[in-house]
Amino acid sequence: MRRRSTYTFASSAAAWCQLSDPGAIEGWSDEDLKATAATYFGDGADADLPNYIRLVYNVGRLILRRADQAPTPESEPSAFFLLPHAPAGANSAALEDQPMLGTGRHELAGRFWFVGPAARQGTALVLDAWPEKDADVFDLACEKLGIGSAPAVIFEARTSPQLLWFYPCGLANREMANPVPLSSEGIGLKQILSIIDRAHHDSIVTPRPRGSQGTKLWKNASKHHPVKDAEARIQEILRIALTAALPPTMVVRDEQHQTTGRIDLEIEESNAMPGHFVRHALLELKVLRSCGSTGRTVPAASVTNAIKEGVSQAKSYRDERETLSAALCCFDMRKEPGGTDCFDPVKRQARRNKVELRVWPVYASAKQYRTT
């Protein structure tokens, strides 16, 4: 069993302040800086993500911060809507402005909150009581307030474990509800890869319909020519999907440079011990091609070499960063995706180095997907 990473923030805090002695900051000890860094671990990591993803991530962090500050656990749900201000239909007498909502000092329960993607300040509609029937919550939002299309998060405080219910297309789209845990207990590489399974099914496996929103992966699908930066585009899809589905204690980082190379995706979490965190999983991504974006043929040997290199990279990056697990994630955009056969030359190497191997086919058309 691999030992957990115990990298501390002490050296980082010193680097931020360009001081060799963090305690030299007047009024701040080294332990103060460690604790502060741990408390705000992950803040700002979502800045370049879509606003609706930032909403669920930051609401989750707010809920956890409130749990640390509250004298007693909150027992009623609360709802958060990605809206700049309260809707016109809200009772103005029941509105409550909180310019410092992000501190976690303010009661959240029994309220509809209207917040920005960072959830640092907001306006609350204080309800007389949280409706007993879930349907009444949806009716209030969709029918009475007219905000059914706004991305929303409902914090369900009455269940065990407590969950966030994320509605990326609003409460009017009930079928698109996604449960998000608040605790990382029980989450390992298996669960992380299952999130990638869903992202692959929803956003990667076939081309997006013309005119629809979504990431374009094919330059010329009819000729099986992927876009030049297919890896980077898939990486961003996965980063978004993982951030939306994992607990808010976990941070999905990309494009990290170190001595052994550049890491595609890594999932970290602040540890219970102030100033420490755990690196849960490292994901190395590869796109397998028959042709490049210009139509130039990619030899089969080049594909095999890329997979071998991927196993080596995943193992080296994991060891250097003391990450708990590592996986090579391949997306097969070849004319005829070959399934797990592509791993035959590296299975022994991967098993020896404890690198998980996964491959997902990416089809150039819905017809190819249906008939394969």
Side-chain angles (χ1 to χ4, degrees):
M1 181 176 179
R2 296 187 58 80
R3 65 187 180 91
R4 294 187 170 219
S5 169
T6 55
Y7 175 90
T8 73
F9 282 100
S11 58
S12 298
W16 294 339
C17 304
Q18 296 184 341
L19 294 170
S20 59
D21 178 13
I25 303 174
E26 185 175 358
W28 287 80
S29 69
D30 187 33
E31 291 305 312
D32 289 332
L33 289 171
K34 288 182 184 180
T36 300
T39 299
Y40 294 96
F41 174 81
D43 280 10
D46 62 307
D48 59 340
L49 293 174
N51 282 339
Y52 70 100
I53 300 296
R54 296 183 65 201
L55 174 72
V56 65
Y57 177 72
N58 286 307
V59 164
R61 295 181 66 78
L62 173 61
I63 295 292
L64 294 174
R65 198 165 289 160
R66 175 58 186 164
D68 287 338
Q69 299 280 344
T72 58
E74 298 200 348
S75 57
E76 276 192 325
S78 49
F80 300 79
F81 300 86
L82 187 60
L83 290 169
H85 47 71
N91 178 6
S92 59
L95 294 180
E96 181 181 88
D97 183 42
Q98 292 296 354
M100 296 185 68
L101 177 65
T103 62
R105 295 186 298 107
H106 306 286
E107 185 176 359
L108 304 175
R111 291 159 169 79
F112 275 17
W113 288 95
F114 311 107
V115 299
R120 290 185 181 138
Q121 63 87 30
T123 300
L125 174 63
V126 183
L127 307 181
D128 293 333
W130 190 265
E132 291 186 10
K133 296 181 179 179
D134 292 338
D136 292 339
V137 176
F138 287 78
D139 180 67
L140 174 59
C142 300
E143 304 301 329
K144 297 179 181 177
L145 296 177
I147 55 174
S149 61
V153 177
I154 294 179
F155 169 50
E156 181 50 85
R158 300 166 297 184
T159 59
S160 182
Q162 294 178 331
L163 291 172
L164 301 178
W165 286 89
F166 177 38
Y167 296 82
C169 296
L171 298 189
N173 296 276
R174 303 183 188 186
E175 292 299 321
M176 295 189 70
N178 297 293
V180 180
L182 286 167
S183 169
S184 64
E185 184 177 353
I187 293 180
L189 185 60
K190 179 180 179 181
Q191 289 71 30
I192 290 168
L193 292 175
S194 72
I195 296 171
I196 298 179
D197 286 339
R198 294 199 299 272
H200 168 257
H201 177 271
D202 294 343
S203 305
I204 297 175
V205 66
T206 58
R208 300 296 88 196
R210 183 173 296 177
S212 69
Q213 293 184 342
T215 301
K216 182 179 178 181
L217 297 177
W218 295 98
K219 182 177 181 180
N220 189 328
S222 64
K223 295 182 178 181
H224 280 84
H225 298 174
V227 294
K228 184 177 181 180
D229 60 343
E231 287 96 340
R233 298 189 186 194
I234 289 174
Q235 176 179 293
E236 187 62 9
I237 292 171
L238 299 186
R239 181 176 170 227
I240 289 171
L242 289 164
T243 300
L246 289 171
T249 57
M250 293 176 132
V251 179
V252 184
R253 303 199 186 275
D254 66 341
E255 297 297 315
Q256 296 186 90
H257 293 266
Q258 59 176 28
T259 304
T260 51
R262 178 183 53 79
I263 296 172
D264 290 329
L265 291 171
E266 188 176 43
I267 299 166
E268 301 174 346
E269 181 181 28
S270 178
N271 202 353
M273 184 183 300
H276 295 69
F277 62 85
V278 176
R279 291 182 170 117
H280 284 275
L282 184 147
L283 308 175
E284 177 66 22
L285 310 181
K286 296 292 182 185
V287 168
L288 313 183
R289 300 168 168 86
S290 295
C291 305
S293 60
T294 62
R296 184 175 181 178
T297 299
V298 176
S302 296
V303 174
T304 299
N305 288 338
I307 294 172
K308 289 180 178 178
E309 181 186 31
V311 173
S312 176
Q313 288 171 312
K315 188 262 184 190
S316 296
Y317 300 162
R318 181 201 60 211
D319 290 351
E320 182 172 345
R321 297 176 72 81
E322 298 183 345
T323 309
L324 297 182
S325 59
L328 172 61
C329 300
C330 294
F331 292 84
D332 195 344
M333 300 183 74
R334 293 177 295 178
K335 291 181 180 179
E336 296 182 4
T340 57
D341 290 350
C342 66
F343 294 135
D344 287 347
V346 299
K347 283 181 179 178
R348 184 175 298 177
Q349 175 191 0
R351 187 164 50 248
R352 183 174 64 251
N353 292 315
K354 298 181 181 179
V355 173
E356 185 76 16
L357 300 175
R358 290 293 300 272
V359 60
W360 292 267
V362 183
Y363 298 105
S365 67
K367 180 179 179 180
Q368 185 190 17
Y369 171 63
R370 293 193 305 269
T371 58
T372 299

